[in-house]
Amino acid sequence: MPIDRAQLRAFVTVLREGSFDGAARMLHVTAPAISQRVRQLEERLGQVLIRRGTPCTATDAGAELARHAEQIDMLEAETLHALARLQGFSGLADGDDALHAADDAPPVRIPVVVNADSLDTWFMDVAVAVATPESGPALVLHIQVDDQDHTTSLLRDGSVIAAVTAEPQAVQGCEASALGVMRYIAVASPAFIARWLAVLSTDRADAGATQAEADSADSAAWAALSRAPFIQFNEKDALQARFLGSWAAPSDTGSANARAPSFRLPTTGSFVDACRRGMGWGMVPLQMAAPLLADGTLRQVTRAGRDDGIDVPLYWQRWALRSPVLQRLSATVERVAAASLRAPLADAQQAPARPGAASSGASAPPATR
């Protein structure tokens, strides 16, 4: 049963824009016309495709159809670019027309989802590189930002074609490759450390401390940190909990960190600025923290003689399509990530949970933003 292209376009645009009114504005028709096309498509296929709401979302059947539509759009753009190149090579276009035949082909739109810290540290280099290629069609990335724990759900429902994620297991119909490790360190202003975390200034490394004394110092440090105000990106941000979990915990404090005040700042700039202004301590990618550590604006929150931090492996998942465009995007992502991230770590090298904490596993909280 052939699918009407106008109906399919209306359906996809409703999902992209989140509403029938938004789709109508994009396609320059009325909202009732969009509604009629989607309803006709649903009647033709015998299934509800869109959950009407704010925003509109795809049903399971709609997600499968959306995936099909994204593939059509990408492959169609690739074909138009190939035809434009053939026009130049065949002599059907002359002079400047031959030189620019391929350049005049429409760019290929690729929806992707990336976690905020990757976007603000290295992924923009990918977007620039594929938008201005030396050869082949330009790729226009439509980037969504979400916590890595939710990026794979967007792959499953067809909202995006590829994702930067912390999930190594490939989504059905996708391929996954390791990109590297993003290292997060805890930082705070010097004034904040002096007020809340002065215990960290005690250097026991050269004091000939016994193991019992060292453990006691670690317990005091953990207790101080777990009660100090901290910065969260949003309610999904569990990096602080992971960081606390990597320190030895005193046996009598339990969930002391639950009593610490937290501030939620959902943009990278405001998050780092809050740390700089002494509002609290927070987990920041090493790439962002390095210049502020170098000039003394921030200090790393770490125990004496340690290099405490959290290493988060990142992966690239993309639909398993034989598409030159998608292969070129993936190669660019892997190249930029290799230059920006640390080499992948073995599982055994990941930071251990603090004694007494629940063991990590599939139910562990999100690892990165």
Side-chain angles (χ1 to χ4, degrees), residues 59-122:
T59 64
D60 289 344
E64 190 64 31
L65 183 61
R67 177 187 291 264
H68 169 73
E70 291 289 0
Q71 292 176 1
I72 289 176
D73 281 353
M74 186 172 65
L75 296 175
E76 182 179 86
E78 287 182 341
T79 301
L80 290 174
H81 187 271
L83 291 174
R85 286 179 60 83
L86 287 173
Q87 181 185 21
F89 293 150
S90 66
L92 294 177
D94 299 317
D96 289 341
D97 289 339
L99 293 174
H100 297 293
D103 293 336
D104 291 338
V108 180
R109 172 191 176 275
I110 299 185
V112 300
V113 60
V114 181
N115 63 300
D117 288 340
S118 289
L119 182 61
D120 289 328
T121 53
W122 62 273

Side-chain angles (χ1 to χ4, degrees), residues 168 175-180 314-318 330 334:
E175 298 174 348
S177 57
L179 294 177
L314 295 178
Y315 301 87
W316 175 245
Q317 292 208 32
R318 70 278 185 192
S330 296
E334 291 168 2

Side-chain angles (χ1 to χ4, degrees), residues 20 44 54 57 62 71 76 79-80 84 159 191 228 245 287 327 329:
F20 286 79
R44 184 176 184 82
T54 307
T57 58
Q71 292 176 1
E76 182 179 86
T79 301
L80 290 174
S159 299
Q287 298 100 311
Q327 290 173 355
L329 172 61

